[in-house]
Amino acid sequence: MRRLSLSSRLALLFAACTAVVSLFAGILFNRASEAHFIELDQQQLDGKLIGLRRALQDVQPGESAARLADELSRQADLSLRITGSDGQRWYDSSIQIPANLPQQPGLATISNDDAEYRVLNAPLYPDKTDSPNLTLLLDITHHQHFLQRMQHLIWLTVGLSALATALLGAWAARSGLRPLRRMSAVARGISAHSLNARLPEAQIPPELAEMAHSFNAMLARLDDSFQRLSAFSADIAHELRTPLSNLLTHTQVTLTRPRPIEDYREALHSNLEELQWMAQLVNDMLYLAKADHGLLMPKRQPLELADETDVLLEFFAPLAEDAGVTLTRDGNARIEGDRNMLRRALSNLLDNALRFTPAEGYVSLRIVDQPSAVRVSVENSGEGISAELLPRLFDRFYRADPARQEGSSEHAGLGLAITQSIVRAHGGQIHCESADGWTRFVIELPKGD
């Protein structure tokens, strides 16, 4: 079955609401009209009862009905029956009075053939226990016809109002949903080459402004991700082109003429270095691909960060000594995490810090134990990083150094991206702060249970 459109659903909803409200109002009006007629009939019968009681003082069975005829002649739709205290019928003012009438005192409504009557039973002498009984009948057929016509009118009004509301509701819904159709048209026109399309938020109604803003934000994220993916593919080709060209050129030159065995051995060693760098690059890419798909599952083991960082500082100490850089560590904390992954992340930060720290500079590793998290920072002296470059430091293949060397066998620009993936796999965050004369990478890791 075909689904109803949103415009049709709104139109039907408007029609249903209008029908319910109209029906409810019609029923209330009908009940109010019926109660009003009952009240009028009650007043009319009560007034006639008072007049009959005055006209029938001390009436006896079989007495002349002259006084009654005079009293009843003023209203053609009113009839009277008088019965004795024993139930014997004394008098009927009309032959059309039904044989069986209600006997209980008070007001009642009965139907006879095509006529309807309001019946009032009351004693002729209220202060006497053996008083004859008066039964007044008021023909209310015209009242009932009016109420029936009004009921038909109510149903007709309900149907017409529901139909009119459905048509108007469909038009209003279609007009009101025009911004959604524009959004749909923009979405249909989006492709890999048109991700820069945006909805005009200024022309969108306030109710849809948030949706339009979210839609534009989604397009911006897609555009950014696509641009990054395109740049990422270009960077991979860029990084692999130089070592592959070196391998091909070196191999072709080596094979141009017969050479001594030592020349072949030297060529193979040179090629091996390039192949090892390419293998490392591929391994790093696979590692980042696993991180993108949430496949990095760090082990959870208790770690003393002071012990783990001291091992790294001992490893980098010879490099720092050769560069004339001072290495220090301050603080300690205990967390649960993967030893190898965290060592890799911190070693990437220390390696970067040592490479960009001038002679007689310093590299400081600080550990701060906070109530809900552990803060680890790697800070180094030297030239700072400009604020516009900070958001891109963790992009793959990005190098802040403008003197970028193609296919460098040492640094491919993946270290910080891998570090960020490791930190996020542990549920933490990493960011960089830089000012004149220093640069600091800050890692915040949640504590274990």
Side-chain angles (χ1 to χ4, degrees), residues 227-294:
Q227 295 297 333
R228 287 175 181 268
L229 183 60
S230 299
F232 183 52
S233 301
D235 285 335
I236 292 177
H238 178 82
E239 296 295 332
L240 293 178
R241 180 178 59 184
T242 299
L244 285 173
S245 297
N246 292 340
L247 286 172
L248 288 172
T249 302
H250 197 189
T251 302
Q252 288 171 351
V253 170
T254 303
L255 295 176
T256 54
R257 59 183 176 83
R259 298 177 183 274
I261 190 67
E262 291 300 327
D263 290 348
Y264 289 116
R265 188 183 300 274
E266 183 180 352
L268 289 175
H269 277 293
S270 178
N271 290 349
L272 179 61
E273 291 180 1
E274 297 290 348
L275 290 171
Q276 286 175 339
W277 179 84
M278 293 173 63
Q280 182 61 42
L281 177 63
V282 172
N283 288 334
D284 290 344
M285 292 302 304
L286 290 175
Y287 192 87
L288 289 173
K290 290 176 62 177
D292 289 342
H293 290 83

Side-chain angles (χ1 to χ4, degrees), residues 12 36 102 114 126 163 217 229-230 241 278 345 349 351 376 414 418:
L12 291 177
H36 176 68
D114 295 332
L163 178 60
L229 183 60
S230 299
R241 180 178 59 184
M278 293 173 63
L349 297 180
D351 180 60
V376 181
L414 295 178
I418 291 175

Side-chain angles (χ1 to χ4, degrees), residues 49 91 128 144 164 167 203 206 214 255 275-276 279 290 324 342 356 370 395 410:
L49 178 63
Y91 173 78
K128 295 182 180 180
Q144 299 305 106
L167 296 176
Q203 303 175 11
S214 300
L255 295 176
L275 290 171
Q276 286 175 339
K290 290 176 62 177
L342 290 176
F356 293 102
Q370 298 176 334
D395 291 352
E410 294 186 54

Side-chain angles (χ1 to χ4, degrees), residues 80-201:
L80 172 65
R81 171 174 290 178
I82 303 176
T83 57
S85 58
D86 57 356
Q88 183 179 359
R89 189 183 306 174
W90 288 4
Y91 173 78
D92 278 346
S93 65
S94 173
I95 60 174
Q96 297 180 351
I97 296 178
N100 298 320
L101 296 178
Q103 299 299 319
Q104 67 274 15
L107 192 68
T109 303
I110 64 171
S111 297
N112 182 50
D113 296 333
D114 295 332
E116 294 194 23
Y117 299 93
R118 204 84 72 193
V119 179
L120 177 65
N121 283 315
L124 178 59
Y125 308 115
D127 53 347
K128 295 182 180 180
T129 58
D130 59 347
S131 169
N133 189 63
L134 296 179
T135 301
L136 289 172
L137 289 87
L138 181 64
D139 190 345
I140 60 169
T141 305
H142 59 289
H143 292 175
Q144 299 305 106
H145 288 170
F146 171 79
L147 291 176
Q148 289 175 2
R149 289 194 300 271
M150 189 175 64
Q151 288 175 354
H152 294 160
L153 181 62
I154 289 173
W155 285 111
L156 180 62
T157 303
V158 169
L160 292 178
S161 60
L163 178 60
T165 306
L167 296 176
L168 293 175
W171 173 82
R174 183 172 179 81
S175 300
L177 294 177
R178 189 175 293 114
L180 285 179
R181 291 196 294 274
R182 287 202 297 267
M183 293 176 66
S184 179
V186 172
R188 285 195 301 269
I190 290 174
S191 65
H193 304 288
S194 60
L195 288 174
N196 57 347
R198 298 292 183 271
L199 286 174
E201 296 185 27

Side-chain angles (χ1 to χ4, degrees), residues 126 262 279 343 406:
E262 291 300 327
R343 282 187 177 183
E406 293 189 8

Side-chain angles (χ1 to χ4, degrees), residues 299-306 308 332-339 342 346 367-370 372-376 426 443-449:
K299 299 177 183 178
R300 297 294 177 178
Q301 57 189 120
L303 300 175
E304 294 288 342
L305 286 181
E308 303 301 326
N332 185 26
R334 182 183 178 88
I335 65 169
E336 290 187 357
D338 190 297
R339 173 179 284 109
L342 290 176
L346 291 174
I367 303 171
V368 180
D369 192 359
Q370 298 176 334
S372 59
V374 173
R375 181 185 175 97
V376 181
H426 282 79
I443 297 175
E444 292 186 359
L445 296 172
K447 286 187 174 182
D449 297 333

